[in-house]
Amino acid sequence: MGEFTMPSLGADMDEGTLVEWLVAPGDPLRKGDPVAVVETAKSTIEVECFESGAMGRLLVEPGATVPVGTPLALIEPAEGARREPEGRGKRQKHPVTPPAPQEPAEPEPAPGPEPAGGDGEVGGTGPLIRRLAERRGVDLTALHGTGPAGRVTRADIERAATDTARSPRVRATPLARRRAAELGVDLASVTGTGRDSVIRAEDVGGAAPGGAAPPPPPPPAAASVRPSRPPGEQAPGMRQAIARLMTRANRDIPHYYLSTTVDMAVSMDWLHDHNRRGPMAERLLPAALLLKAAALAAREVPALNGFWTDDRFTAGEGVHLGVAVSLRGGGLIAPVLHGADTLDLPALMGALKDLVTRARTGRLRGSEVSDATLTVTNLGDQGVETVFGVIHPPQVALVGFGRVADRPWAVDGLLGVRPVVTVTLSADHRATDGAVGARYLTAVDRLLQKPEEL
Amino acid sequence: MSTAGTQETTTYREALREALREAMRSDDRVFLMGEDVGRYGGCFGVSLGLLEEFGPDRVRDTPLSESAFVGAGIGAALAGMRPIVEIMTVNFSLLALDQILNNAATLLHMSGGQLPVPLVIRMTTGAGRQLAAQHSHSLESFYAHIPGIRVLAPATLEDARHMLAPALADPDPVVIFEHGSLYNASGPLAPQAASVDLDHAAVRRPGDAVSLITYGGSLPKMFAAADELAADGVDAEVVDLRTLRPLDAGTVAASVARTHRAVVVDEAWRTGSVAAELSARLAEESFYELDAPVERVCGAEVPIPYARRLEEAALPQTAGIVAAAHRAVG
């Protein structure tokens, strides 16, 4: 009999609030399944379980705030997974075909408590799904389930709820939309100057397409599910959490700062060529190249990839890049690209888009916000040339990328105009000295000169 | 552009005539036939003097019977000649459309590649000279619709002078549209033959703010519009399609990739016009380059009026093209 406890989702977290259970007692569990939603001072996170088996008794009610380490529920060993309600098992070997979702035996617009056995279930929905649908005002009978055997999943509910609440479509020209995607600009925040206030490319800005930018933000979506805050409003406590962490960083970490400017001509040419050849969906942003270079350089200079704890440095196992993502209503979160040095560019781009989207809609998981070995911040989309960041304890370095911009640049004794980017390193002087940091930046520069090898 | 010293001033009409003369001198199989091409010198004066030079066997007047003499041209082409058939205006060419579509354009296909039809058909198109509805329409799109033929629209002196030779060399039927308002256009023309490529549109004036795309008789209005736009600080690129079938969408797409805005000008009726086809291509191939809706400036969908003011009002004019460009540029 295992315990599922309130996890620590960050160096600064000492307590968390259970927002909701994603599974019911008796549900089979597999390692890595999200089982609960927890709200910390910084954000709302889906927490996974770390053992397989079946959900046992729930010890904590949603809404309760408990210290880190408090048992929230019991987990029964795998043999104890006795009952698997029809159509509920997440990954059954022989899925039972539930009734088709389009034709429920009895439409129940406002489902009450589910009778055991679940007669009249819509596509095999559990009480959790029903409660969620009720709370979000989604009509389950009208929903097409995308889960196994037509089961309605939480994502289906989210989608339906988002669709109904979606703000009117932004009017922008095709070119403006493409530019916005390339530059990572949120069209909802742009004022259009065209006819009937249509957004045109010049309104999006970034005359040189392809400045280093974070991935495209998700479309302006409706309120995030939980907690019940209006969208774009900062989580209560997030500011305080950032304040505490950054104060600690600046108080405890003797930073040293290095900066170098990298010629991006080869990289940008390669990128444009790649993007011209492939379909829209496979387009890469400069950010993908920059992150991959940052990760590979971290592998080369392991002294910057790890943690300073108990007066000593511990090297990280693997390169896990935290990517600083600014949230709409203010605030900041750094989800993690695990094994960033091992991902090829399309995979890295996909993971990045996914993380940023979910960071901004409050759907990150516990394992995605902890254990970064090195953090990268990219303020290029804000138009800045240089960013000197503050290290995220207990990490020992932070890499900053500015905007990729055309500058006069000397090449082989001649003056030309080249796209360049300023790369900075804020590093912990307790763990390394400037020479190590310099080696790191030199490696980033060298890697960016061979984009085809990234 | 070469220097004026190597060029002589000529007209569009004379350039066409010079092309005919050269073709007939260089190939015995080439002959010209049509209404009034001989004794009268062509109803627009293009073939003036050719009867005297080449004789009635090679410059043949025909009865008013478009279907018959175009059919005769097809027969001559099948028999190994290189006929050039002149039809007075595109309006009358409809009488020969059956021959062109059901015979000239299909025989190669229906004979399994055994019967090419190396025929060239010249005809006048367009309005602007108070010739009223039955002599003024622009039906190029009727022909641009037909697979198996090539459709040309020379708009410059160079193209008037140098498009005929490659058209005659083409093993398939070629229809050449000469806009009536261009016959008197004059300017310098280099005496030596320029090689003309029938497969590509031409950027006649580079610019980066908006692509003005047209063909044939509207090209001079485009230059006038581009001048006005330049005075307003808008740098317009002028693209001349030159060949309406096969349409060179690549050059157009490349231009729009530079300017991100397109104004398509076509004297023909808007619905189902070459401009309509081009707009569809832009939507298909240049969607992510467009920063404004494609603007079209076309002829009013009425029979072209006789009265001067009404005729002017029914046709694309410089002011309307400038206004459309400003709408696109915003």
Side-chain angles (χ1 to χ4, degrees):
Chain A
M1 181 71 72
E3 279 181 347
F4 175 71
T5 57
M6 175 61 74
S8 171
L9 300 170
D12 55 327
M13 173 173 165
D14 43 22
E15 60 181 22
T17 305
L18 177 69
V19 177
E20 74 176 287
W21 286 109
L22 303 179
V23 291
D27 281 358
L29 292 178
R30 277 188 26 168
K31 188 171 183 304
D33 283 354
V35 296
V37 178
V38 168
E39 187 177 347
T40 72
K42 284 189 78 163
S43 60
T44 308
I45 305 287
E46 287 184 1
V47 182
E48 308 101 309
C49 65
F50 295 101
E51 49 189 305
S52 298
M55 199 65 192
R57 197 152 54 87
L58 307 182
L59 306 174
V60 173
E61 284 292 306
T65 301
V66 298
V68 167
T70 307
L72 301 176
L74 300 174
I75 294 180
E76 297 167 3
E79 307 81 65
R82 297 172 319 278
R83 69 184 191 89
E84 289 199 358
E86 291 201 357
R88 179 80 76 60
K90 259 201 139 133
R91 297 175 185 80
Q92 292 167 309
K93 286 204 175 63
H94 308 289
V96 182
T97 310
Q102 297 86 342
E103 298 177 35
E106 300 166 30
E108 295 181 49
E114 185 199 17
D119 275 348
E121 276 198 13
V122 180
T125 52
L128 165 78
I129 293 291
R130 284 158 178 274
R131 206 177 65 231
L132 191 63
E134 195 177 359
R135 198 183 324 158
R136 311 232 37 206
V138 172
D139 178 7
L140 273 178
T141 59
L143 210 55
H144 173 71
T146 60
R151 184 171 161 275
V152 176
T153 64
R154 289 170 48 83
D156 296 335
I157 306 252
E158 292 306 323
R159 244 195 319 274
T162 305
D163 286 349
T164 52
R166 192 179 292 282
S167 47
R169 186 168 183 270
V170 174
R171 275 174 53 82
T173 67
L175 180 68
R177 281 181 191 281
R178 197 186 90 197
R179 283 276 160 83
E182 283 168 354
L183 298 169
V185 171
D186 177 11
L187 282 173
S189 65
V190 175
T191 308
T193 61
R195 234 188 312 169
D196 302 329
S197 303
V198 71
I199 296 170
R200 298 178 300 162
E202 66 179 35
D203 304 328
V204 173
S224 66
V225 202
R226 358 145 278 265
S228 49
R229 276 195 304 274
E233 195 181 300
Q234 207 174 138
M238 179 182 256
R239 210 56 261 165
Q240 283 74 15
I242 296 174
R244 274 202 304 272
L245 190 68
M246 292 297 108
T247 304
R248 184 180 129 196
N250 249 18
R251 188 188 58 222
D252 296 349
I253 304 179
H255 286 66
Y256 69 86
Y257 302 101
L258 303 177
S259 159
T260 193
T261 301
V262 175
D263 181 349
M264 289 290 286
V266 180
S267 270
M268 296 305 281
D269 285 351
W270 180 89
L271 192 75
H272 289 150
D273 189 52
H274 169 95
N275 287 347
R276 255 202 306 276
R277 281 198 313 265
M280 197 72 178
E282 288 172 25
R283 288 194 176 167
L284 297 175
L285 294 169
L289 298 180
L290 298 175
L291 286 168
K292 186 68 190 285
L296 288 174
R299 195 161 68 186
E300 280 184 41
V301 188
L304 293 171
N305 184 64
F307 315 100
W308 184 264
T309 40
D310 306 328
D311 289 339
R312 50 187 289 273
F313 173 74
T314 313
E317 290 185 15
V319 176
H320 309 306
L321 281 192
V323 183
V325 176
S326 61
L327 302 178
R328 278 224 175 20
L332 187 68
I333 191 162
V336 184
L337 279 168
H338 287 107
D341 57 325
T342 63
L343 297 174
D344 64 17
L345 288 172
L348 189 144
M349 189 73 227
L352 184 63
K353 275 185 183 167
D354 173 55
L355 277 184
V356 172
T357 303
R358 287 190 295 108
R360 289 191 171 147
T361 49
R363 308 205 53 82
L364 290 170
R365 296 183 178 162
S367 61
E368 290 169 334
V369 292
S370 48
D371 79 5
T373 55
L374 173 68
T375 297
V376 176
T377 183
N378 177 349
L379 280 180
D381 63 315
Q382 307 296 322
V384 302
E385 287 174 23
T386 313
V387 48
F388 287 104
V390 178
I391 297 168
H392 189 299
Q395 294 160 40
V396 297
L398 180 130
V399 183
F401 289 108
R403 178 164 50 109
V404 179
D406 285 348
R407 292 272 179 273
W409 197 250
V411 183
D412 300 333
L414 291 174
L415 191 61
V417 174
R418 314 273 280 203
V420 301
V421 65
T422 301
V423 190
T424 62
L425 179 78
S426 312
D428 186 338
H429 219 320
R430 296 170 303 180
T432 63
D433 306 321
V436 173
R439 230 177 35 241
Y440 177 85
L441 288 183
T442 307
V444 170
D445 188 343
R446 192 191 68 246
L447 290 159
L448 285 169
Q449 301 316 315
K450 293 199 170 166
E452 68 281 358
E453 292 175 16
L454 285 173
Chain B
M1 293 294 120
S2 46
T3 56
T6 66
Q7 306 193 330
E8 49 199 36
T9 297
T10 187
T11 64
Y12 185 88
R13 174 183 290 109
E14 287 163 356
L16 290 168
R17 186 185 307 140
E18 200 48 43
L20 287 168
R21 185 175 279 126
E22 178 193 51
M24 291 172 74
R25 281 179 184 166
S26 59
D27 187 343
D28 286 346
R29 296 172 301 169
V30 175
F31 69 98
L32 176 68
M33 68 173 161
E35 294 150 342
D36 283 338
V37 297
R39 226 173 284 279
Y40 187 70
C43 58
F44 297 101
V46 171
S47 50
L48 202 63
L50 295 185
L51 174 67
E52 290 74 11
E53 181 174 350
F54 297 102
D57 280 357
R58 300 190 67 200
V59 181
R60 308 175 74 98
D61 280 315
T62 65
L64 301 180
S65 55
E66 281 77 6
S67 180
F69 66 75
V70 171
I74 293 170
L78 288 170
M81 300 296 281
R82 293 288 179 274
I84 302 171
V85 175
E86 177 180 305
I87 302 176
M88 201 179 292
T89 80
V90 67
N91 299 259
F92 311 149
S93 77
L94 298 186
L95 291 159
L97 191 55
D98 165 60
Q99 288 289 358
I100 297 168
L101 169 56
N102 287 319
N103 291 327
T106 55
L107 282 170
L108 183 71
H109 168 82
M110 293 179 74
S111 66
Q114 298 176 88
L115 296 175
V117 184
L119 168 70
V120 171
I121 301 171
R122 297 174 41 239
M123 59 181 95
T124 303
T125 184
R129 292 156 299 136
Q130 281 200 277
L131 296 176
Q134 292 168 327
H135 297 71
S136 301
H137 288 143
S138 296
L139 306 180
E140 289 88 332
S141 65
F142 286 41
Y143 292 90
H145 184 62
I146 304 171
I149 63 174
R150 182 185 282 277
V151 180
L152 307 177
T156 63
L157 296 177
E158 286 78 12
D159 281 356
R161 173 64 185 82
H162 298 301
M163 269 188 172
L164 184 64
L168 281 163
D170 192 315
D172 294 317
V174 178
V175 179
I176 303 177
F177 287 101
E178 300 161 7
H179 197 284
S181 68
L182 293 175
Y183 285 123
N184 291 327
S186 70
L189 179 67
Q192 63 272 38
S195 68
V196 165
D197 147 32
L198 300 184
D199 290 325
H200 289 99
V203 176
R204 298 292 185 196
R205 170 178 173 148
D208 59 14
V210 57
S211 299
L212 307 180
I213 306 153
T214 194
Y215 66 89
S218 300
L219 187 65
K221 292 173 183 171
M222 287 299 229
F223 287 135
D227 286 342
E228 270 189 48
L229 287 164
D232 297 338
V234 175
D235 195 4
E237 177 152 306
V238 176
V239 180
D240 173 8
L241 293 174
R242 301 173 70 239
T243 297
L244 306 184
R245 182 175 195 98
L247 201 58
D248 174 17
T251 297
V252 175
S255 173
V256 171
R258 285 189 294 273
T259 64
H260 305 298
R261 300 167 189 97
V263 177
V264 186
V265 178
D266 188 344
E267 194 178 294
W269 297 309
R270 172 185 302 254
T271 306
S273 58
V274 170
E277 173 62 23
L278 200 67
S279 305
R281 297 281 186 104
L282 286 170
E284 287 166 345
E285 291 160 33
S286 302
F287 185 79
Y288 293 104
E289 297 294 348
L290 288 169
D291 203 22
V294 173
E295 294 279 347
R296 278 198 285 162
V297 183
C298 298
E301 305 213 332
V302 297
I304 298 292
Y306 167 78
R308 177 178 299 283
R309 292 298 168 83
L310 291 178
E311 183 179 46
E312 283 170 5
L315 301 176
Q317 302 296 353
T318 303
I321 299 168
V322 169
H326 278 306
R327 280 197 303 274
V329 174

